[in-house]
Amino acid sequence: MFNTDTILKSLNDVQGVHQSLIVGRDGFVINSMGDMEADSVGAVISTAIGAIEAMGRDCKQGGLFEVMAEYNGGVVIAAPIGKEAVLGIVADESANLGGVRFVVKKSMKELEKVM
Amino acid sequence: METQKILDIAHVSFLDIIRASIVQLGAAATKGMLIRNAMATAEKIPEVSFDTLDEFVASIDIAGNPVTQVEGKAVHYGKGLFGLPSCPFAPSIGDYKSVYGGLPEDYHKITEDYNKQGPVTGALKVGHGAGVSPFCAVHQPLRGALKDRIRIGGNPISILQLGCKSGSGEKGLAQQWIDETDFTAAEVEKVLDDNMCCYAIKVEA
């Protein structure tokens, strides 16, 4: 049986991932696993996903599945879990992006069931 | 020539920033930002101690406690039940309405989100029905977080948001927090007849 702990652990087990977290749409952390300051990461992920959704809405692109931001040091992936929460993943440059996105997609189905 | 009112443009801008944030980031993220800002402000306020609840109440007259300093003078109805006659955001709302004629339509989205059950509003004992405007998402968490800056008789305190009243007279009650006090919903409503905000302070053993 899945729960948010097991799902976050499976995400953190992917090479290069060092933080995974579930936050409410208001940015307050529901659950997190990793070595970062989850409260501040959660706050920026919720505002980022809100802004990206607004961009999709204004550009008439429909609902958002996932957003990935690439930086010098790695990537941040965020994906809405229904209307109330967001999954966030932080990975370094050693991560295989295709592998991370595959696990995120698989985890989303599990998260939608347990949330 | 008649003297005209001078607007506080900071008031108007603040309310416009909230409106823009709802459109650009969503109501929930905006609410979260307002709550986090309020909690951060509370953390910056120096801690104070009072020997008794009566001493705390006496300090209201001279704004000698952090709650009064951020919201104005409340009325004590006994046994830790307080009513606040004026909403601290009333001047901002008044200035905004004088320009735009009313508050932005999207504001109700923050109020609705703020009243949902949530871990942070639960820990602060605010919202949960007591929100009547977006400004409650600033004022109530700020006051609620001040519980960590005040001790009475050497003990920690709880500040419970029991109810609030909008400018149009609509009352919102937080039954969950009322149930944690010795007061009834009818008593809270009565306090709100003469006040905009009603809360309780409990000294923890």
Side-chain angles (χ1 to χ4, degrees), chain B residues 74-75 77 81-87 127 129-132 136 139-140 143 160-175 178 183-200:
Chain B
V75 178
Y77 287 83
L81 181 65
F82 294 86
L84 186 67
S86 301
C87 171
V132 296
C136 295
H139 180 204
Q140 295 178 8
R143 186 205 292 122
L160 300 96
Q161 183 70 43
L162 306 184
C164 207
K165 186 170 74 178
S166 71
S168 62
E170 178 199 356
K171 292 172 184 170
L173 302 189
Q175 193 59 50
I178 293 171
F183 308 112
T184 65
E187 287 173 303
V188 173
E189 290 219 41
K190 197 162 184 299
V191 170
L192 288 175
D193 285 342
D194 300 320
N195 295 277
M196 301 306 285
C197 208
C198 177
Y199 59 97

Side-chain angles (χ1 to χ4, degrees), chain B residues 13-195:
Chain B
S13 296
F14 172 59
L15 271 66
D16 260 339
I17 288 168
I18 294 175
R19 180 191 53 76
S21 180
I22 295 168
V23 173
Q24 291 166 17
L25 305 178
T30 303
K31 177 210 74 178
M33 181 175 62
L34 292 174
I35 293 176
R36 278 189 293 276
N37 287 347
M39 293 168 73
T41 302
E43 272 181 25
K44 295 291 180 194
I45 291 176
E47 288 184 34
V48 291
S49 293
F50 299 92
D51 288 336
T52 62
L53 180 65
D54 286 343
E55 190 181 296
F56 173 87
V57 171
S59 76
I60 292 173
D61 267 347
I62 56 164
N65 70 76
V67 175
T68 309
Q69 286 156 10
V70 300
E71 69 177 19
K73 293 180 182 179
V75 178
H76 185 221
Y77 287 83
K79 298 179 182 174
L81 181 65
F82 294 86
L84 186 67
S86 301
C87 171
F89 285 95
S92 307
I93 296 167
D95 273 351
Y96 193 88
K97 282 182 171 175
S98 72
V99 176
Y100 289 99
L103 292 175
E105 280 182 20
D106 283 346
Y107 268 23
H108 72 93
K109 293 178 183 171
I110 290 190
T111 310
E112 286 165 15
D113 201 83
Y114 177 67
N115 277 326
K116 290 179 185 171
Q117 301 266 336
V120 174
T121 51
L124 293 174
K125 299 187 186 301
V126 297
H128 289 60
V132 296
S133 86
F135 311 106
C136 295
V138 179
H139 180 204
Q140 295 178 8
L142 174 53
R143 186 205 292 122
L146 288 174
K147 71 180 169 59
D148 295 328
R149 320 307 295 165
I150 300 168
R151 293 180 82 84
I152 296 178
N155 296 309
I157 65 165
S158 292
I159 304 176
L160 300 96
Q161 183 70 43
L162 306 184
C164 207
K165 186 170 74 178
S166 71
S168 62
E170 178 199 356
K171 292 172 184 170
L173 302 189
Q175 193 59 50
Q176 186 173 342
W177 310 136
I178 293 171
D179 290 343
E180 289 191 17
T181 69
D182 295 328
F183 308 112
T184 65
E187 287 173 303
V188 173
E189 290 219 41
K190 197 162 184 299
V191 170
L192 288 175
D193 285 342
D194 300 320
N195 295 277

Side-chain angles (χ1 to χ4, degrees), chain A residues 7 80-82 107-115:
Chain A
I7 294 167
I81 310 167
S107 301
M108 291 308 294
K109 291 178 184 162
E110 295 159 1
L111 281 168
E112 281 165 9
K113 286 180 198 163
V114 300
M115 293 290 291

